[in-house]
Amino acid sequence: MEKTTTFPFRYTAFAISVAGFAVSLPLSIWLGSGYLFPLVFGALSALGVWDLKQRKHTISRNYPIMANFRYLFESIGPEIRQYFIQSDTEERPFSREQRSIVYQRAKNVLDKRPFGSQIGMYEEGFEWMNHSITPTRLATSDFRILIGKNCDKPYNASVFNISAMSFGALSANAVLSLNTGARKGGFYHDTGEGSISRYHRQPGGDLVWEIGSGYFGCRHPDGTFNPEMFKRNATLDQVKMIEVKLSQGAKPGHGGILPGAKVTPEIAEARGVSVGEDCVSPPSHSAFSNPVELLEFIDTLRTLSGGKPVGFKLAIGHPWEWFAIVKAMLDTGRKPDFIVVDGGEGGTGAAPIEFINRLGMPMTEALLLVHNTLVGTNLREDIAIGAAGKITSAFNIARTLALGADWCNSARGYMFSLGCIQALSCHTGHCPSGVATQDPRRGQKLDVALKSERVYNYHKNTLDALQNLLEASGLNHPSELGPEHIVRRVSKAEVHSYLDLFPFLEPGALLEGKTGLRVFDKYWQAAQPDTFEPPEFIRALRETKLR
């Protein structure tokens, strides 16, 4: 390779810095005019020398000094796009319009907009809700759904609640604000799998205690389930329901670890682990290994809690695993009181990009599968369904209930109400709004009195908006919402209601084998109630590429 003899233009910034330092230093000494310019040029020269000597970044070696501007702009690229480039309706992951409506409702300020919609109503995927010529007038927006009607202590839940976010992922002041707002508004606050912390207990708001595979708050030192510890927490008056987490939309099928360096005394106290030791959530549970054992575990938790509703949360993956759980319900007569369907859209939990983008069934399809399976097996009236997945507005709630859910949960919506700016730094500990951090210097700046009021306002104003939608549609309660009320554009010239767009089973149709749906025809008969293992024909496919 022929060696270049001319001076590379890419070294210009470095050369100017060295020359500037060489000229400005003696001039400053001679004139006695201070050392600002020598310091600036000297610092740039030192940076250029470092760039040339280091071996980690080839771009920096080829473009000393100038390459650093590239890294700077790359690091603030998300902020530049979010604040200066992104349109109001571009969802990445939440649009400015979606965030603004939460901010406005949380602050209790005007949430109206002039001059018509900014959404492309003739673009594929646009959805709307049909209205009535005879609207209703409702006395309240405090819509509720009874969960665990067959339990000794059923819970009358709001239709819009705070989804699972653990203390440890959220700051102490964020948890205090969420629970204080939940107490004032009469809705529940899911603890996340990090268990019940002092910051959940202090305000006294309703809690749904989520129990993950780490059994935090109810574990033996070896990480297995501890019934005595569970009973102490589960029988607290503040705890209204128990939720066993099988998987979550942000990272389905993935365990987690909180490094020991982040396990503070407060986190250790809540989770029942040792300070400074790694806090591990295994990918799967140790208390059960098959569908029948899962249902037995749920019965055990219901008994230990004194008869409170117990259910599970899952992101749908292999359909035969979900069918196996339902078949176990039919065989044993044991049933959860509720199921929360977590969409594969992801959530507050940080996860590998493949998990966020490409793993797990999105909420719409997952909710339809769960609802149809329960209807088709005549179990739906005994099991309530909650759903979560990018729900921030009244219309999001309405469409989700129309697909078969009884109530909705939101995590990121309530984070926005706390002041989250979607900086996408939740996993770094450097959250600028003090929400998703354990840095006390950041978290303590979050004002609990103010932010809890905004959490309350967001819930109330969103349900007020839902009330307005229901009234305009001629309905009296969210439970009346069905697939006939939501319409989607599927092309420039064609629209369909959800009733025509999606399949909905008749009661008992699955038991009678009259579904006409491929997912049931292919996997229902093959699923077994005593195992999560794949059907024989799936195992055979895994052994060969000759398909």
Side-chain angles (χ1 to χ4, degrees):
M1 182 184 296
E2 185 177 349
K3 189 173 182 179
T4 303
T5 57
T6 58
F7 179 78
F9 178 75
R10 63 181 185 272
Y11 287 178
T12 301
F14 179 49
I16 291 174
S17 299
V18 172
F21 177 69
V23 172
S24 63
L25 181 60
L27 280 176
S28 295
I29 295 173
W30 181 48
L31 297 174
S33 57
Y35 293 94
L36 175 61
F37 286 105
L39 284 173
V40 171
F41 284 121
L44 289 173
S45 299
L47 177 61
V49 171
W50 170 259
D51 286 341
L52 288 169
K53 293 295 184 181
Q54 60 82 37
R55 308 187 69 83
K56 187 176 181 180
H57 300 292
T58 304
I59 293 177
S60 295
R61 299 182 75 189
N62 278 324
Y63 295 87
I65 299 178
M66 289 191 293
N68 292 280
F69 289 98
R70 181 258 185 193
Y71 296 126
L72 171 65
F73 291 132
E74 181 183 49
S75 69
I76 63 174
E79 288 78 11
I80 291 174
R81 289 191 293 272
Q82 178 173 332
Y83 294 117
F84 302 108
I85 299 174
Q86 184 185 47
S87 73
D88 283 350
T89 57
E90 182 183 358
E91 299 182 27
R92 296 292 185 272
F94 286 86
S95 70
R96 185 179 288 111
E97 183 180 77
Q98 289 171 317
R99 300 195 306 273
S100 294
I101 197 66
V102 177
Y103 298 147
Q104 289 165 343
R105 287 175 176 166
K107 295 175 182 178
N108 218 12
V109 299
L110 187 68
D111 61 355
K112 307 299 187 290
R113 171 172 287 178
F115 228 68
S117 176
Q118 296 184 19
I119 298 175
M121 293 188 175
Y122 294 93
E123 294 179 4
E124 182 180 335
F126 175 71
E127 295 179 336
W128 70 90
M129 189 169 171
N130 281 336
H131 67 282
S132 171
I133 292 176
T134 57
T136 54
R137 287 293 174 262
L138 307 183
T140 179
S141 64
D142 186 24
F143 303 119
R144 298 195 167 268
I145 176 72
L146 187 67
I147 306 174
K149 62 183 181 180
N150 297 319
C151 293
D152 293 337
K153 298 178 180 178
Y155 179 56
N156 202 26
S158 169
V159 298
F160 188 45
N161 303 282
I162 302 171
S163 196
M165 295 179 283
S166 300
F167 170 61
L170 299 189
S171 67
N173 281 18
V175 173
L176 282 170
S177 300
L178 289 171
N179 197 258
T180 302
R183 176 182 54 77
K184 183 175 181 181
F187 54 101
Y188 79 65
H189 177 192
D190 193 310
T191 65
E193 67 176 305
S195 193
I196 307 168
S197 72
R198 62 178 72 175
Y199 303 109
H200 289 97
R201 294 182 182 182
Q202 183 177 322
D206 289 355
L207 293 176
V208 169
W209 182 16
E210 182 178 273
I211 297 175
S213 57
Y215 304 111
F216 299 127
C218 56
R219 57 185 268 142
H220 291 294
D222 64 355
T224 56
F225 177 68
N226 185 325
E228 291 75 22
M229 285 184 67
F230 171 81
K231 185 174 182 178
R232 284 200 296 272
N233 274 333
T235 52
L236 293 170
D237 288 341
Q238 194 179 356
V239 175
K240 302 302 181 183
M241 301 197 297
I242 315 297
E243 176 183 279
V244 179
K245 191 192 88 168
L246 303 183
S247 55
Q248 68 183 88
K251 44 185 176 181
H254 194 284
I257 181 170
L258 185 66
K262 295 185 178 181
V263 181
T264 64
E266 292 172 327
I267 291 175
E269 173 190 70
R271 301 192 180 199
V273 298
S274 299
V275 177
E277 291 187 7
D278 290 347
C279 191
V280 179
S281 296
S284 59
H285 282 259
S286 59
F288 53 87
S289 59
N290 61 56
V292 172
E293 291 177 358
L294 164 63
L295 298 178
E296 290 172 348
F297 184 60
I298 287 173
D299 274 1
T300 298
L301 300 186
R302 190 183 293 111
T303 300
L304 291 171
S305 69
K308 294 179 179 179
V310 181
F312 59 83
K313 178 178 84 173
L314 83 167
I316 296 293
H318 296 311
W320 60 80
E321 295 177 349
W322 158 242
F323 292 159
I325 296 174
V326 178
K327 280 194 167 183
M329 296 180 202
L330 295 172
D331 279 10
T332 65
R334 302 175 186 267
K335 291 170 283 191
D337 299 298
F338 65 89
I339 296 170
V340 174
V341 180
D342 207 18
E345 290 88 341
T348 57
I353 194 68
E354 292 87 355
F355 278 72
I356 289 175
N357 286 344
R358 303 296 180 181
L359 199 65
M361 193 179 293
M363 186 193 69
T364 295
E365 287 73 20
L367 176 56
L368 280 169
L369 183 63
V370 170
H371 173 70
N372 273 327
T373 306
L374 296 181
V375 170
T377 52
N378 292 322
L379 294 169
R380 181 63 178 90
E381 291 189 342
D382 293 327
I383 302 173
I385 298 178
K390 295 189 73 173
I391 295 171
T392 57
S393 71
F395 178 74
N396 294 153
I397 296 173
R399 76 175 295 276
T400 305
L401 300 186
L403 285 166
D406 293 302
W407 83 92
C408 296
N409 293 337
S410 175
R412 287 169 286 185
Y414 284 100
M415 286 179 69
F416 290 143
S417 76
L418 290 173
C420 166
I421 61 171
Q422 195 172 273
L424 305 183
S425 58
C426 310
H427 59 300
T428 66
H430 299 148
C431 171
S433 56
V435 176
T437 180
Q438 286 302 301
D439 182 347
R441 295 170 299 179
R442 294 173 179 266
Q444 288 171 5
K445 298 296 191 299
L446 192 152
D447 186 278
V448 174
L450 174 65
K451 300 301 185 181
S452 62
E453 191 68 18
R454 291 186 177 179
V455 170
Y456 164 76
N457 288 338
Y458 170 54
H459 174 268
K460 182 181 184 304
N461 289 327
T462 301
L463 288 190
D464 284 350
L466 179 62
Q467 177 185 348
N468 293 336
L469 286 178
L470 293 174
E471 290 175 336
S473 300
L475 304 177
N476 294 290
H477 191 274
S479 61
E480 296 179 8
L481 282 164
E484 68 276 14
H485 293 110
I486 309 296
V487 183
R488 175 184 293 179
R489 180 175 294 284
V490 296
S491 73
K492 292 286 185 181
E494 189 176 6
V495 301
H496 290 294
S497 73
Y498 277 8
L499 186 62
D500 299 322
L501 188 62
F502 297 115
F504 288 90
L505 296 190
E506 294 293 328
L510 184 52
L511 298 178
E512 298 169 7
K514 299 177 181 178
T515 69
L517 300 179
R518 184 169 176 80
V519 66
F520 293 111
D521 292 345
K522 192 167 186 178
Y523 299 113
W524 173 255
Q525 291 299 329
Q528 299 299 318
D530 58 350
T531 182
F532 288 118
E533 290 295 315
E536 182 59 38
F537 76 91
I538 294 292
R539 289 200 295 270
L541 290 175
R542 293 177 179 180
E543 296 173 359
T544 179
K545 291 294 182 182
L546 303 178
R547 303 182 182 187

